[in-house]
Amino acid sequence: MPSDLLQRSERAAPAAASRTGPKRRTRVFALAEARWAAAALVLFLIALPLQLTGAPAWAWGPLYAAAYVTGGWEPAWAGLTALREKTLDVDLLMIVAAIGAASIGQAMDGALLIVIFATSGALEALATARTQDAVRGLLDLAPTTATRLADDGSESTVPTEDLVVGDTILVRPGERVGADGRVLDGTSDVDQATITGEPLPVAKETGDEVFAGTLNGTGALRVKVERNASDSVIARIVAMVEEASETKAPTQLFIEKVEQRYSLGMVFTTLAVFLVPLTFGAELTGSLLRAMTFMIVASPCAVVLATMPPLLSAIANAGRHGVLVKSAVVMERLGQVDAVALDKTGTLTEGTPRVTDIRPLDGAVLTEDALLALAAAAEHPSEHPLARAVVDAARTRGLTIADMRDFTSTPGVGVTATVEGRTVAVGAPARLLDGHDGHDGHDGHDDTVSVRAAEVAGGLEDGGRTAVLVLRDSVAVGVLGIADRLRPDAAATVTALTALTGSTPMLVTGDNPRAAARLAAEVGITGDEVHAGLLPQDKVEAVRRLEAQGRKVLVIGDGVNDAPALAAAHSGIAMGRAGSDLALETADAVIVRDELASVPTVIALSRVARRLVVQNLAIAAVFISGLVIWDLVGHLPLPLGVLGHEGSTVVVGLNGLRLLRDAAWNRAAKDLR
């Protein structure tokens, strides 16, 4: 990460939110690397048809030369810089090979190498810039100012970066919390999905902890600041993403792991092929031609293409099936995964609360539809996620929602309205039942109903649902159960991932333990692998514990709170439809269509691609070895050397392109069943 971003996160996350504008997103051509690569590609595409159609060399030669300069100067400079540090970079080797190809009349081959390397560098620069954009966007979640309360009760608006531990702030309805702290007074529902991943707002009252950047509901809160801005949870998320991005071991393709030895060997051997014959009286031209022929046939073009086409083909195939894999390195690494950590909300579940149970109480004389319609009428004006779930359920059933009046909403309790002349209350069972003692002139029937309502609500909550009580004229008439619905393919995905990795996936969630345990049981995750109530740093620790055991961990998530774990893991996959910007940019791959079952399929496809890479490397090694031996022992004609070199490139390229077919994806999915 650039130093300016690091300095901003060290000062304070809230201070960075001073700019409130459109979402930051670096344009492709705002990057110099992208502009140079595009220029080299355009020049190459103009020169190639001119050469192939027999145009004179003066027409296409300068275009190739310009492509060499525009696309090659940056990797050449980087290679020379590395050379000063006594490291031979493969980029410099490719530049030398390209120049060598041009020197013996193979300008097109050299230009193609230049374009490939320039494009690769541009894609890497774009990925880095987009990740920085996402981190800056996260900082904007925290407000720039807060209302600080003095000891005499007076209010003042101050920058959040000036808040210190011990200050008291006022958080009005609809505002974002300005600092991490604890509620001194007030009641409200706070949406803290960005921090914990919980799908529903959490009721906050005196003594409860709140986090900077979370969104307050309809109540007002007085909060005592307990952390400085630079130590807030949201600032620590940024720091963890940055740290993971900087300390994560550099990812390399298989062939890059041996590039130093290969590069050194090729350079020294080329020099030997040129100099040794000269010491025995050979002609300069002949020795130079033999050395250039050796450089061409020993050039790792076929080796590079042995690696890239299978991985790029797998990337293209996965993209057609809704999985965006960001690079060839990522595609290779996905096949190495042997442990999986799954988020709950928005990953295993759809991330949207839905009515799952409708329980009319005995004696209420209400059907399920009548109870739901009554609750929906009272909840209709509310913007609370639970209220929207009730109204959506009624509309889905085609129920008529009656008009209401005298609507009131009490944070942490529920809503009250007059529906068809009767007072209807909908809200938290514990609060509504506590406010109704059952002694209102009746014969004790209300006490029995209240006890029954508490039993039904408790049963729903034990099953991981959120219970919502419905009162009509102060009498409990029914209970609704609301939960985040499990994805249809969640259980099958967990089974497939278990088969692929040989171990049950681990559930890591910020949601409460009861809801996590219920969902884990539904998808087949054992109790020991369920980790609930986690903050972002806790998820990172869970991942690092697995990696300390030598495991290569894949993290699958969708929220801001998942981003540090996505960055720290061996590989990270984000759910695309509801995923936060930071999660989407931090992850190595994105499930664009939100089909969770695509995850094991893309892992299986990666493993197929890795096997093809090994096949291609074997083919390339045979060709290169044969041509090199021929050139060293006998006399390999340059045209034949070029033909053999290009032939090996074509063979390995076509072999890798087999993964472009839909049959490869379908076969990978079928093998999982």
Side-chain angles (χ1 to χ4, degrees), residues 197-284:
E198 291 181 276
L200 302 175
V202 178
K204 298 291 184 180
E205 56 187 16
T206 302
D208 289 338
E209 186 178 21
V210 292
F211 304 107
T214 55
L215 183 63
N216 187 28
T218 56
L221 299 174
R222 284 198 309 121
V223 176
K224 181 178 181 180
V225 177
E226 293 189 337
R227 296 190 189 97
N228 292 325
S230 58
D231 294 326
S232 69
V233 170
I234 204 165
R236 280 184 283 166
I237 291 176
V238 174
M240 284 187 291
V241 172
E242 292 170 343
E243 180 184 0
S245 299
E246 292 173 353
T247 61
K248 194 172 181 179
T251 56
Q252 292 181 306
L253 295 171
F254 173 78
I255 189 58
E256 291 175 337
K257 296 176 183 178
V258 295
E259 71 177 41
Q260 284 295 304
R261 294 179 182 177
Y262 189 92
S263 301
L264 288 171
M266 180 177 167
V267 169
F268 286 123
T269 307
T270 300
L271 291 174
V273 170
F274 173 62
L275 296 175
V276 170
L278 288 179
T279 61
F280 290 96
E283 294 183 358
L284 176 63

Side-chain angles (χ1 to χ4, degrees), residues 301-302 305 644-654:
C301 298
L305 288 176
H645 177 266
E646 297 301 328
S648 66
T649 302
V650 170
V651 169
V652 298
L654 292 177

Side-chain angles (χ1 to χ4, degrees), residues 58-76:
W58 60 261
W60 47 263
L63 294 173
Y64 278 140
Y68 275 67
V69 173
T70 54
W73 78 267
E74 282 192 322

Side-chain angles (χ1 to χ4, degrees), residues 228-569:
N228 292 325
S230 58
D231 294 326
S232 69
V233 170
I234 204 165
R236 280 184 283 166
I237 291 176
V238 174
M240 284 187 291
V241 172
E242 292 170 343
E243 180 184 0
S245 299
E246 292 173 353
T247 61
K248 194 172 181 179
T251 56
Q252 292 181 306
L253 295 171
F254 173 78
I255 189 58
E256 291 175 337
K257 296 176 183 178
V258 295
E259 71 177 41
Q260 284 295 304
R261 294 179 182 177
Y262 189 92
S263 301
L264 288 171
M266 180 177 167
V267 169
F268 286 123
T269 307
T270 300
L271 291 174
V273 170
F274 173 62
L275 296 175
V276 170
L278 288 179
T279 61
F280 290 96
E283 294 183 358
L284 176 63
T285 302
S287 296
L288 179 60
L289 183 60
R290 181 186 288 266
M292 286 296 97
T293 302
F294 175 83
M295 176 172 282
I296 292 298
V297 299
S299 173
C301 298
V303 177
V304 171
L305 288 176
T307 303
M308 296 304 291
L311 298 174
L312 295 178
S313 298
I315 289 173
N317 200 335
R320 290 201 308 271
H321 291 88
V323 183
L324 172 62
V325 180
K326 295 185 178 180
S327 71
V329 171
V330 172
M331 179 56 76
E332 185 193 45
R333 289 170 67 89
L334 285 172
Q336 301 170 351
V337 166
D338 60 7
V340 178
L342 288 156
D343 175 47
K344 172 185 169 286
T345 304
T347 301
L348 286 175
T349 68
E350 294 177 348
T352 304
R354 299 178 185 273
V355 174
T356 58
D357 301 85
I358 305 173
R359 303 283 183 84
L361 295 175
D362 298 337
V365 197
L366 287 177
T367 63
E368 289 188 0
D369 284 353
L371 174 62
L372 181 60
L374 186 67
E379 293 273 30
H380 190 260
S382 176
E383 289 299 318
H384 194 284
L386 293 182
R388 290 198 296 270
V390 172
V391 175
D392 289 345
R395 286 173 173 164
T396 300
R397 291 193 174 206
L399 304 180
T400 300
I401 300 177
D403 292 334
M404 49 69 59
R405 58 185 177 82
D406 302 330
F407 173 84
T408 59
S409 175
T410 305
V413 178
V415 304
T416 303
T418 301
V419 180
E420 296 179 340
R422 309 184 74 169
T423 301
V424 178
V426 184
R431 301 292 177 84
L432 292 180
L433 291 174
D434 184 57
H436 169 58
D437 60 13
H439 299 290
D440 54 0
H442 293 285
D443 58 3
H445 172 70
D446 284 356
D447 286 331
T448 303
V449 173
S450 296
V451 170
R452 176 59 181 156
E455 291 175 349
V456 173
L460 291 174
E461 290 172 350
D462 287 341
R465 276 78 166 168
T466 297
V468 175
L469 179 65
V470 183
L471 301 181
R472 185 175 59 185
D473 292 336
S474 299
V475 177
V477 294
V479 183
L480 305 179
I482 300 178
D484 189 7
R485 191 163 64 183
L486 190 68
R487 290 183 186 273
D489 53 357
T493 299
V494 170
T495 301
L497 290 172
T498 301
L500 276 171
T501 63
S503 60
T504 304
M506 178 173 62
L507 180 64
V508 289
T509 176
D511 211 343
N512 66 80
R514 189 164 53 185
R518 176 189 62 83
L519 180 133
E522 289 185 36
V523 299
I525 297 178
T526 58
D528 292 342
E529 300 298 335
V530 179
H531 304 270
L534 304 184
L535 290 175
Q537 59 265 32
D538 301 322
K539 293 188 177 185
V540 173
E541 285 302 314
V543 169
R544 286 178 175 165
R545 282 196 300 270
L546 277 178
E547 293 188 332
Q549 300 170 15
R551 311 294 293 277
K552 290 181 171 58
V553 184
L554 167 66
V555 171
I556 309 171
D558 72 308
V560 167
N561 60 315
D562 300 316
L566 289 168

Side-chain angles (χ1 to χ4, degrees), residues 23-265:
K23 181 175 67 175
R24 301 181 181 93
R25 190 170 180 83
T26 299
R27 298 190 309 273
V28 174
F29 289 107
L31 300 172
E33 295 91 341
R35 295 195 296 270
W36 288 118
L41 177 61
V42 170
L43 291 166
F44 177 81
L45 292 178
I46 295 174
L48 181 61
L50 291 175
Q51 181 187 14
L52 296 179
T53 54
W58 60 261
W60 47 263
L63 294 173
Y64 278 140
Y68 275 67
V69 173
T70 54
W73 78 267
E74 282 192 322
W77 180 257
L80 291 172
T81 302
L83 197 60
R84 285 203 301 267
E85 299 174 358
K86 300 180 180 180
T87 300
L88 185 59
D89 196 303
V90 74
D91 288 4
L92 182 59
L93 185 62
M94 287 296 95
I95 296 299
V96 173
I99 295 173
S103 69
I104 58 174
Q106 302 298 322
M108 186 270 288
D109 289 351
L112 179 59
L113 275 178
I114 293 290
V115 169
I116 290 174
F117 270 72
T119 303
S120 175
L123 290 175
E124 182 178 353
L126 179 62
T128 300
R130 290 285 170 85
T131 300
Q132 293 168 6
D133 293 341
V135 173
R136 294 188 183 100
L138 171 62
L139 294 173
D140 288 343
L141 286 175
T144 57
T145 61
T147 302
R148 183 164 60 190
L149 300 177
D151 292 338
D152 60 2
S154 61
E155 300 179 6
S156 60
T157 301
V158 299
T160 50
E161 62 192 83
D162 292 343
L163 294 174
V164 297
V165 175
D167 282 350
T168 300
I169 60 174
L170 174 64
V171 185
R172 294 186 171 88
E175 291 184 344
R176 289 194 178 272
V177 180
D180 287 5
R182 200 163 297 276
V183 178
L184 293 177
D185 183 48
T187 302
S188 186
D189 294 321
V190 177
D191 181 354
Q192 52 187 35
T194 54
I195 302 298
T196 66
E198 291 181 276
L200 302 175
V202 178
K204 298 291 184 180
E205 56 187 16
T206 302
D208 289 338
E209 186 178 21
V210 292
F211 304 107
T214 55
L215 183 63
N216 187 28
T218 56
L221 299 174
R222 284 198 309 121
V223 176
K224 181 178 181 180
V225 177
E226 293 189 337
R227 296 190 189 97
N228 292 325
S230 58
D231 294 326
S232 69
V233 170
I234 204 165
R236 280 184 283 166
I237 291 176
V238 174
M240 284 187 291
V241 172
E242 292 170 343
E243 180 184 0
S245 299
E246 292 173 353
T247 61
K248 194 172 181 179
T251 56
Q252 292 181 306
L253 295 171
F254 173 78
I255 189 58
E256 291 175 337
K257 296 176 183 178
V258 295
E259 71 177 41
Q260 284 295 304
R261 294 179 182 177
Y262 189 92
S263 301
L264 288 171

